[in-house]
Each structure stands twice: as structure tokens, then as C-alpha cells.
Amino acid sequence: MPIDATQPYDDQNIFAKILRGEIPATRLYEDAYAIAFPDIAPQAPTHILVIPKGAYVSWDDLSARGSDAEIAGFVRAVGKVARDAGLVAPGYRLLANTGLDSHQEVPHLHVHIFAGRPLGPLLAR
């Protein structure tokens, strides 16, 4: 169910539980600012999620409240995950949903990295 990204951070969301180690995830990458792991319901042959370690609901939330170090660290982590996975050539897509109209389902900022096949102009529904 889509969430309202203007609501306060819910520390019981699935990604908060992954960050705390309460729910297992195969960590493909981790640093001081972010972790990355495969999506449990992949929409492409490669589908990786990258989440910040800070309690941010959405991209808007991180950009408004995050420190310069958190913002830069998160953006750099997303790029490193894509490079380390060998996705720069032939290419990949980033997607970060924010709020109800985008169908954001987890109230913790996360970037989807899609790759592994021609993705077309938009993702299929």
C-alpha cells in the first residue's frame, strides 16, 4: 500500500528492521552512510535496493534534513554499488519513489537499481 511521504519516520518499517539486524538481508555493500541488498521481488534481472542508514522517509526528506556528508555519502554509495555490480555498461536505471502518487511502499528512502536487460522508456507495471 502506498505511503504518505509527509508522515513522520516509522522506525518499525522493514528497512529500519534490516538496518537493526532484526530481518536478514544479503548485504552487497555497506559503509557509514548506506547499505545495499537484492530486492526480494525483483522487477529486472538485476534489482538492487540502496538505503541510507539515517531515518529518512524519502528523497525529499534526505535532501531537506540530511547533513552534507549523509547526502554525499548516500549518492556516492549508489554509484559505487552500480559500478561494483558492473552495471555502467550497458546501463542501468535508478528509481526513488516519493509519496502516494509514486506508490512508495516503504516509508524509508530507498533507491532501486534496475539492470540486466533493455528496460525500455519506462518500467512495466
Side-chain angles (χ1 to χ4, degrees), residues 4 7 13 20 25-26 32 39 41 44 48-49 55 57 63 69 83 89 96 109 119 121:
D4 179 350
Q7 296 300 308
N13 75 72
R20 291 192 301 265
T26 303
D39 192 290
I48 300 169
L49 297 175
V57 175
S63 68
R83 286 190 303 279
L109 170 60
L119 298 171

Side-chain angles (χ1 to χ4, degrees), residues 98-124:
T98 299
L100 297 169
D101 282 354
S102 74
H103 292 270
Q104 181 181 1
E105 294 180 1
V106 179
H108 186 107
L109 170 60
H110 53 289
V111 172
H112 299 259
I113 301 175
F114 300 103
R117 67 170 168 80
L119 298 171
L122 297 174
L123 290 175

